[in-house]
Amino acid sequence: VLSSVNSAIVRIGEPQRLFEEVCRIAVDYGHFGMVWIGTYDPLTMDVTPLAEAGYEPGDAWALKKFSARPTMEDRDSIGQAIREKRAIAVNDLPRSPSATVFRRQKAIERGYRSVVALPLIVEGNVAGVFVLFSKEANAFTAEEVALLSELTGNISFALENISRRERIAYLVQYDTLTGLPNQSLFMERLEQEMRARGGEAAGALALVDLQRFRAINEELGHQGGIEILAQVAQRLAGALSGTERLA
């Protein structure tokens, strides 16, 4: 499983496809009964499952968003793994405190006896969770959890690299102050637009300058100037119909 996942990490540079492949590998090669991977939002503490394998057709409940808050409705290991940033294994599901949680009830009904939740940690923060079920009681020993933690660490490393590549690509083409395309991307799009028109239709290019902007910077400071630019960008974007190119 480790070897196959590492191979997938090298080949796949998109999180959703990577999650789907990891789940498939865990079921096909690892023989886990059900597995899923989801993302975690630290602001809302919501977990959103994005990929799964081993579930039955019609299991819509398996991919429903749920909360990782420490409430009576969520006593399972998933919330605990996220909050404590460590792998949490439950090796006797029917006797665990989470046996009455709906998702766990469904797993127990299908004969599952063990589950492990492993957080995906990117740049020190929990970005998601990887959950695996087994029909064997006491399936997730310390050695098994250590191997799965290594696997999860590799996935986390891949997500970190994908995020960095996306950030670099963004910085190359967009202005960080306004969020608008920069001059380089604008010129590329302008050239595409001109080629598409083929000289058949007229177009217009408007250059907008802010008068007394140096005085604004001196009066309000650098941060004030940045906020002015951001507001102007938002107002221009809101005033356009959507067919124009703003940069």
Side-chain angles (χ1 to χ4, degrees):
V1 169
L2 275 166
S3 175
S4 297
V5 167
N6 288 341
S7 175
I9 286 170
V10 172
R11 291 184 289 106
I12 302 172
E14 195 271 316
Q16 180 63 38
R17 285 182 53 231
L18 179 60
F19 289 163
E20 291 169 357
E21 183 67 0
V22 167
C23 288
R24 184 192 69 78
I25 290 168
V27 170
D28 289 353
Y29 299 151
H31 305 295
F32 295 100
M34 301 187 302
V35 304
W36 62 266
I37 297 179
T39 54
Y40 172 67
D41 185 339
L43 295 178
T44 63
M45 295 189 75
D46 286 339
V47 178
T48 305
L50 294 180
E52 54 80 21
Y55 285 85
E56 297 179 5
D59 280 349
W61 56 269
L63 293 178
K64 280 188 177 180
K65 182 187 294 187
F66 65 93
S67 175
R69 295 180 184 276
T71 62
M72 289 301 291
E73 290 76 22
D74 186 44
R75 298 180 294 277
D76 60 34
S77 55
I78 298 168
Q80 186 182 356
I82 290 171
R83 292 189 299 273
E84 298 181 12
K85 295 185 178 181
R86 65 185 181 93
I88 300 292
V90 177
N91 282 309
D92 190 356
L93 268 176
R95 296 187 182 183
S96 70
S98 63
T100 56
V101 175
F102 177 74
R103 295 187 311 279
R104 294 302 169 80
Q105 284 180 326
K106 287 288 188 181
I108 293 167
E109 287 171 8
R110 293 179 184 176
Y112 290 98
R113 293 296 175 263
S114 302
V115 64
V116 65
L118 304 112
L120 300 171
I121 299 175
V122 177
E123 296 182 351
N125 299 309
V126 177
V129 64
F130 186 26
V131 179
L132 305 97
F133 289 87
S134 173
K135 290 192 174 182
E136 296 177 28
N138 302 308
F140 299 105
T141 62
E143 292 82 359
E144 183 85 358
V145 170
L147 282 170
L148 290 171
S149 294
E150 181 182 343
L151 172 79
T152 309
N154 292 348
I155 299 170
S156 298
F157 181 72
L159 293 177
E160 198 167 309
N161 282 335
I162 290 170
S163 176
R164 285 174 180 169
R165 286 200 299 271
E166 290 174 347
R167 177 64 178 164
I168 290 169
Y170 178 85
L171 291 174
V172 167
Q173 295 189 313
Y174 288 85
D175 173 60
T176 56
L177 298 184
T178 62
L180 296 177
N182 61 17
Q183 181 177 343
S184 174
L185 180 57
F186 175 73
M187 296 304 292
E188 181 181 321
R189 289 178 173 176
L190 180 62
E191 187 177 342
Q192 292 171 353
E193 186 77 20
M194 292 170 69
R195 279 204 302 268
R197 289 174 182 267
E200 296 298 323
L205 174 63
L207 300 177
V208 180
D209 192 17
L210 299 184
Q211 292 184 356
R212 300 186 299 279
F213 188 64
R214 179 175 294 180
I216 290 172
N217 267 325
E218 291 174 354
E219 183 77 18
L220 301 178
H222 181 65
Q223 188 58 40
I226 288 174
E227 290 176 11
I228 292 283
L229 286 175
Q231 284 194 30
V232 169
Q234 289 173 2
R235 292 184 187 190
L236 284 171
L240 300 179
S241 66
T243 58
E244 301 90 351
R245 305 284 192 184
L246 180 63

